[in-house]
Amino acid sequence: DLAKKYDTGESNITPDALNKHTISWVNLLESQSKHDFTRLLEFCLEKKISPTIDAMIVDEGQDLNALQMEVIKMWGEDAKELYMASDIDQAIYVWQGADPKLILDLPTEKEIPLVQSYRCPKVITIAAKKLISRNTIRTGVDWQPTDYEGKIEHMLELPIQELSDAEKYGVPCYILSRNQYFIKSYVVPSLVEAGIPFSIYKGSYVI
């Protein structure tokens, strides 16, 4: 698959470069007698290591890869109950080997559709549904928005005046970004120039 993506221009990583990196990584781990997360999962399957549990709860099932799913299945066999929450429309780890189709092929005794969103307002929901309608493997769950109307604004620059007023009156504001490049190259310089104090959060950490 990687070779095909490289040939079509979808990836700039050559299969040879990836193979060399993998070999170097494995050799490094072995030289230090350490294991990464993938190797720990493989070890669980090889030695059939499974926890003694009554109930097992798995969240974000759509982001599981084949190896992780095999571990989940093995552990689930020893559990009295297994619950899994997943949403095909939120699959964002395909680049890491996740395969949403694994969820669709998973045998279940009972499925409970969660049709009410407690986060997305109406306008956001309409825009989101137009986007996710392109997903060809959707399960067809039609979820409903909150009662709040909401709004979408397309801005070419940060609303500095609004942010400045919010800071003045102690109103917290958050700027979400899909990557650090946008934050560091545009947001930070703009806020510094305007004299607006801020903190950068990455996960649960403050940068």
Side-chain angles (χ1 to χ4, degrees), residues 137-151:
I137 61 171
R138 293 196 68 222
T139 53
V141 176
D142 186 25
W143 48 277
Q144 301 302 313
T146 64
D147 292 333
Y148 180 60
E149 190 67 27
K151 64 178 180 179

Side-chain angles (χ1 to χ4, degrees), residues 152-163:
I152 297 177
E153 295 184 12
H154 299 277
M155 298 179 292
L156 298 179
E157 57 184 25
L158 289 179
I160 294 298
Q161 186 58 54
E162 288 84 346
L163 292 173

Side-chain angles (χ1 to χ4, degrees), residues 173-175 183 187-188 191 196-202 205-207:
C173 292
Y174 300 89
I175 299 175
I183 293 292
V187 175
V188 168
L191 294 178
I196 301 175
F198 62 91
S199 296
I200 301 178
Y201 291 85
K202 181 181 180 182
Y205 301 95
V206 179
I207 301 177

Side-chain angles (χ1 to χ4, degrees), residues 6-178:
Y6 180 74
D7 291 338
T8 58
E10 295 180 59
S11 173
N12 59 358
I13 302 176
T14 67
D16 183 57
L18 179 61
N19 186 51
K20 289 181 179 179
H21 173 77
T22 302
I23 293 175
S24 298
W25 175 247
V26 171
N27 289 338
L28 175 63
L29 292 175
E30 291 180 349
S31 67
Q32 298 185 11
S33 299
K34 296 184 182 297
H35 301 293
D36 60 7
F37 184 60
T38 297
R39 182 58 189 135
L40 291 176
L41 294 180
E42 292 173 342
F43 189 76
C44 281
L45 290 174
E46 293 169 3
K47 302 297 182 180
K48 299 188 182 302
I49 300 174
S50 182
T52 302
I53 52 178
D54 291 331
M56 182 176 178
I57 301 176
V58 181
D59 195 13
E60 306 293 0
Q62 73 280 351
D63 291 328
L64 296 173
N65 59 37
L67 177 60
Q68 293 167 342
M69 181 62 80
E70 287 304 310
V71 173
I72 294 299
K73 289 180 179 179
M74 184 181 72
W75 288 1
E77 291 177 354
D78 296 328
K80 295 180 180 178
E81 297 178 287
L82 171 58
Y83 302 91
M84 180 177 292
S86 64
D87 183 357
I88 301 299
D89 292 329
Q90 295 188 48
I92 59 175
Y93 284 97
V94 175
W95 61 271
Q96 191 173 282
D99 185 358
K101 294 180 181 178
L102 295 174
I103 296 296
L104 301 180
D105 297 334
L106 194 66
T108 58
E109 292 185 2
K110 183 178 182 180
E111 294 186 6
I112 304 176
L114 303 178
V115 298
Q116 179 61 57
S117 171
Y118 297 94
R119 178 186 301 170
C120 295
K122 297 177 180 178
V123 173
I124 302 297
T125 298
I126 293 174
K129 287 184 176 181
K130 287 182 179 179
L131 181 63
I132 62 180
S133 64
R134 305 174 188 176
N135 188 348
T136 59
I137 61 171
R138 293 196 68 222
T139 53
V141 176
D142 186 25
W143 48 277
Q144 301 302 313
T146 64
D147 292 333
Y148 180 60
E149 190 67 27
K151 64 178 180 179
I152 297 177
E153 295 184 12
H154 299 277
M155 298 179 292
L156 298 179
E157 57 184 25
L158 289 179
I160 294 298
Q161 186 58 54
E162 288 84 346
L163 292 173
S164 180
D165 291 342
E167 192 277 328
K168 178 180 179 181
Y169 295 105
V171 179
C173 292
Y174 300 89
I175 299 175
L176 303 180
S177 174
R178 64 181 299 173

